[in-house]
Amino acid sequence: MKSQTLTGVLGGTGFALVLLTLWQGLLVLPPARFFTAPNAQRLFYLHVPSGIMAYLAFILVVAGSAWWLWKRDQRGDRLARCAAELGVVFGAMSLASGTFWMRAEWGPDIVMRFFSDMRLATTLAMWLLLVAYIVWRRQPDSEAVRRGAAIVGMLGVISVPLSYLSSRFLRSDHPVIVGTDDQDALAPEMRLVLYAGLMGFLLLFIALLRTRLELEQMQEELLTARLEGMT
Amino acid sequence: MAAALLLALLLLPTSAAEEVTFTDGNASVAVSYDPVFRAGEAWFIDLVVENGDGYTVEAEFAGAEPRSKKLPAGGSASFSFPGATFHGEAFNVPLELRLLHGGDVVDNVTVSIDVSVPPPSDLQWLWGGMTVFWMGIAGYAGWLHWRQAELRRQLESHIAAAPDGGQDED
């Protein structure tokens, strides 16, 4: 019960911070300069944090997979499995919000952008890898399935940095906001609201991951109880 | 009947043009304009002249540069204000219309117009993105909640169905 309370507090605080970010981003802050679609640009306060949470999820998939491959510890496998699901959810939200923003800012040629812009292409590839991981895990559980999933999960070692750095070093029109030397690219008050959103999303992510891990544990308990009942 | 009513409603003009007429002897100049100025779009004043020669129509919003048009002896003419004349919404903005002949004002009238700011077209993309976003996260959180309740119910019913009622043997 104590664990559930903590999850509730984390989730509630995260949700409140995201609402605060939305209020500031939609109603208080002025539209950003240098964008042809100043209203759609406000999607940025959700798009950036959800994208970073998708990266975080994939990093956890890599860590969990490596842990399982090295120690054969079930906790590593469980972490990778749950984080992959969250990665698909947050990645989908980031890709969807980015697509709406892109449609307003760059025009209707959406599909071709996913092939010609390296940030979009590598992020979509990263998301599809997470989808592949989830689909692979839909098979009946076995050592071989776990090993295969862990190997797919380890591909994040390449895909996460490739996606993150693609807009800096490869051909891309995607704006660079986080971790850039050009600190004037974003007004200080907008940066502050973005960081509040990032913190809110991080807390939401942790709360959802805890819930998902708890669910996995319950599922295993139920399976064990059923097996014991049969013997 | 309903279809005819709907068609009639659809065909209704959104804002009818308003008209004022200047007269000077035999000459008459009809000035028509849209009572709503849409910021960002050019705003036109149309003129129809009868038996006039050497007349000029001048229009001036308070605090803005006046615009004028030298009229032909007969027929129609028009001139416009640029869409950037106004940026924000405003109501009952006075517009002074003057008829001049030989540089002298022979007639004038002040009318009121409203300034409307149409919503930017990218708003639909903002709300589309927001809707997909929140449906995604709410759907996932809802599924987690439902699955958790379902598993808890299954675990409880399994424990209750156990021969010892879920009690440890020791």
Side-chain angles (χ1 to χ4, degrees), chain B residues 28-123:
Chain B
S28 84
V29 179
V31 181
S32 62
Y33 58 92
D34 188 337
V36 179
F37 188 119
R38 288 170 188 81
E41 295 173 21
W43 186 77
F44 288 89
I45 292 179
D46 296 314
L47 310 155
V48 178
V49 190
E50 280 178 28
N51 305 320
D53 192 16
Y55 286 97
T56 299
V57 166
E58 196 171 77
E60 184 179 7
F61 287 108
E65 197 66 21
R67 306 203 43 110
S68 61
K69 181 78 181 174
K70 196 166 173 17
L71 302 178
S76 59
S78 71
F79 64 106
S80 66
F81 279 85
T85 306
F86 296 102
H87 296 285
E89 275 190 337
F91 298 99
N92 299 318
V93 178
L95 168 72
E96 191 176 355
L97 294 165
R98 293 184 284 264
L99 181 70
L100 295 96
H101 193 266
D104 300 323
V105 177
V106 291
D107 200 356
N108 72 322
V109 65
T110 300
V111 297
S112 295
I113 62 145
D114 296 328
V115 180
S116 160
V117 180
S121 60
D122 65 328
L123 266 180

Side-chain angles (χ1 to χ4, degrees), chain A residues 4 15 18 22 37-40 43 46 50 85-86 89 93 96 100 103-104 201 208 212 214-215 218-219 221-222 225-226, chain B residues 120-130 132-134 136-137 140-141 143-145 147-149 151-155 158:
Chain A
Q4 279 183 352
F15 188 63
V18 172
L22 271 185
N39 290 308
L43 280 169
L46 300 181
S50 57
E85 202 174 282
L86 281 170
V89 172
M93 293 194 302
F100 275 93
R103 173 63 183 79
F201 268 81
L208 287 171
R212 185 64 187 84
E214 193 187 329
L215 212 89
M218 285 168 77
Q219 222 153 0
E221 277 172 25
L222 186 66
R226 279 179 178 161
Chain B
S121 60
D122 65 328
L123 266 180
Q124 58 183 320
W125 302 111
L126 170 67
W127 293 117
M130 283 281 167
V132 170
F133 190 90
W134 286 107
I137 198 161
Y140 184 66
W143 177 80
L144 279 182
H145 181 73
R147 187 80 186 119
Q148 201 174 29
L151 279 173
R152 193 164 288 142
R153 190 189 59 76
Q154 284 182 20
L155 266 172
H158 191 85

Side-chain angles (χ1 to χ4, degrees), chain A residues 86-112:
Chain A
L86 281 170
V88 169
V89 172
F90 280 93
M93 293 194 302
S94 179
L95 283 170
S97 55
T99 303
F100 275 93
W101 183 10
M102 173 173 68
R103 173 63 183 79
E105 186 69 28
W106 292 340
D109 194 14
I110 293 170
V111 177
M112 283 313 293

